[in-house]
Amino acid sequence: MENARITSTPYDDVFRTLLNDCSPLIIPLINEVFGEHYSGQEKIVFSPNEHFLNQQGGNEDERITDTSFKIIGKETKKYHLECQSSTDNSILVRFFEYDTQIALDEGSIKDNILTVTLPHSAILFLRHHTSTPDTLTIRMVTPGGIVEYDIQVIKSQQYTLKEIFEKNLLLLIPFYIFSHETRFAEYEQNKTKLGTLQEEYEQIKNNLENLLKQRAISEYTRCTIIDMSNKVLEHIAVKYKSVKEGVKAVMGGKILEYEAKTIKREGIEQGIEKGIEKGIEGTVSILKNLGVPTQTILAKIQEQYKLSPEASKKYL
């Protein structure tokens, strides 16, 4: 059997990668979970995901959040999202630690009053049961009264493929395989049933390609979703060779060196190069119109843009 690279938090890693590398995917999820109406034109500003909590004795304990960020639109709101493969009793404690530390990071003191703003928080459960609640609640009993706030629960398996694409919840696609997890043994033994799974992934692939043609997503985003889907598949179906190979045959194999990052990096590099060229051309044009001598122009752009004498001459 093909060996899969195992990390301690593979699904967290995928979730964090999608949020940070494909940030436009965040807005539809926030709209869905919190009932917002963001247009997608808002600015997303990420916060550091490492937080240090002060412990008794003066020691600091590091905590890693999946993602915390601000959405800056008509108003600014803070959000905190976590991904969990299944429920556990410690999640509320961790959320309280994270949320209060996120609030303290940007707290302010004025007139002897400390003001902190807790983020809007949500958790994505990749597996859920009938007992999994729709919200989690943190209740703080303070000398000034009781304060409560809810943590919204997202149950990925509740969304059909149709709903995922209709609501533009593309961030959930890599985790869609969880909805088939209980049937892996059947797919492994029955090619017809495996074919049904492959048909669904053919639909995913075609829908992504259509969104790309419509310019609703970039090639980078499409590749990232496919690459992260394969990463989830490697871990969840590690014991099911036919399932892994069957889905990969449809979606495509491993994207080496993280092809999506390469696409983005190359695009950034090309953009920088073109921007520099436009800047040089603009500088030369202005100096020529001012009657600056050619040799002075050459010296100026060589110094400003760190060009060799040969490279600078082509702009004249």
Side-chain angles (χ1 to χ4, degrees):
M1 179 180 290
E2 180 184 347
N3 290 328
R5 181 176 175 270
I6 303 298
T7 66
S8 58
T9 58
Y11 308 130
D12 289 355
D13 294 344
V14 167
F15 186 64
R16 194 177 297 116
T17 297
L18 288 166
L19 290 173
N20 285 275
D21 288 4
C22 302
S23 57
L25 301 184
I26 293 174
I27 295 295
L29 186 67
I30 294 298
N31 286 342
E32 170 72 8
V33 176
F34 295 100
E36 299 286 3
H37 297 90
Y38 292 122
S39 66
Q41 301 304 310
E42 295 79 11
K43 184 178 181 181
I44 299 174
V45 179
F46 289 93
S47 304
N49 64 346
E50 297 90 357
H51 297 278
F52 293 89
L53 310 180
N54 293 323
Q55 304 295 327
Q56 291 182 351
N59 296 324
E60 288 187 332
D61 188 14
E62 184 179 18
R63 291 286 189 272
I64 306 295
T65 64
D66 278 348
T67 300
S68 60
F69 53 89
K70 295 177 185 176
I71 296 181
I72 303 173
K74 293 180 180 179
E75 60 179 315
T76 298
K77 289 187 179 181
K78 290 194 288 189
Y79 294 92
H80 169 209
L81 303 181
E82 294 285 329
C83 177
Q84 189 87 357
S85 59
S86 56
T87 58
D88 74 62
N89 293 329
S90 66
I91 189 64
L92 275 169
V93 175
R94 298 204 304 276
F95 255 102
F96 180 69
E97 290 178 337
Y98 298 158
D99 287 351
T100 52
Q101 193 60 51
I102 290 169
L104 279 171
D105 286 345
E106 296 187 3
S108 62
I109 299 177
K110 185 177 181 181
D111 298 329
N112 298 316
I113 298 174
L114 168 64
T115 301
V116 293
T117 303
L118 292 169
H120 299 268
S121 296
I123 183 166
L124 172 65
F125 282 126
L126 306 179
R127 299 182 180 99
H128 70 272
H129 309 284
T130 54
S131 60
T132 303
D134 294 327
T135 56
L136 304 175
T137 300
I138 291 179
R139 176 182 297 143
M140 294 173 281
V141 180
T142 76
I146 296 175
V147 179
E148 289 185 354
Y149 74 96
D150 288 335
I151 297 162
Q152 302 302 317
V153 171
I154 315 161
K155 302 173 185 177
S156 66
Q157 294 186 49
Q158 283 189 337
Y159 291 93
T160 64
L161 274 185
K162 182 180 179 182
E163 289 175 321
I164 286 173
F165 282 99
E166 282 182 348
K167 296 183 176 184
N168 202 27
L169 301 176
L170 306 185
L171 193 143
L172 299 181
I173 289 175
F175 306 112
Y176 181 72
I177 192 67
F178 276 85
S179 63
H180 290 273
E181 184 180 19
T182 58
R183 299 190 291 278
F184 281 173
E186 296 177 42
Y187 298 152
E188 197 72 11
Q189 302 299 323
N190 189 314
K191 290 185 178 180
T192 301
K193 292 182 178 180
L194 178 59
T196 301
L197 175 65
Q198 289 176 299
E199 287 174 4
E200 289 195 15
Y201 273 88
E202 186 73 38
Q203 182 183 344
I204 290 173
K205 180 182 177 182
N206 292 338
N207 284 344
L208 289 174
E209 288 176 353
N210 288 335
L211 290 173
L212 178 63
K213 290 176 183 177
Q214 297 164 14
R215 297 188 176 181
I217 62 172
S218 65
E219 176 68 14
Y220 172 70
T221 296
R222 186 188 73 87
C223 285
T224 303
I225 291 172
I226 291 173
D227 194 54
M228 293 299 101
S229 296
N230 285 335
K231 183 171 182 179
V232 171
L233 182 68
E234 284 288 340
H235 291 273
I236 193 173
V238 67
K239 297 179 180 178
Y240 300 94
K241 184 177 180 180
S242 294
V243 173
K244 283 198 301 180
E245 292 181 351
V247 173
K248 280 190 174 183
V250 175
M251 292 289 279
K254 181 174 178 59
I255 301 176
L256 298 176
E257 202 263 81
Y258 192 5
E259 182 179 308
K261 280 189 180 292
T262 302
I263 292 169
K264 186 176 185 180
R265 185 184 65 245
E266 290 175 351
I268 290 172
E269 290 171 353
Q270 290 171 6
I272 290 172
E273 289 172 3
K274 287 193 176 295
I276 291 173
E277 287 182 355
K278 290 292 184 183
I280 296 172
E281 290 168 0
T283 300
V284 171
S285 177
I286 291 170
L287 294 177
K288 278 185 175 181
N289 290 337
L290 292 172
V292 176
T294 299
Q295 290 304 316
T296 303
I297 294 175
L298 285 173
K300 176 68 175 177
I301 63 175
Q302 285 173 32
E303 177 185 359
Q304 183 171 343
Y305 295 100
K306 311 300 181 187
L307 297 175
S308 67
E310 293 76 17
S312 63
K313 287 178 181 178
K314 74 175 185 178
Y315 293 99
L316 296 176

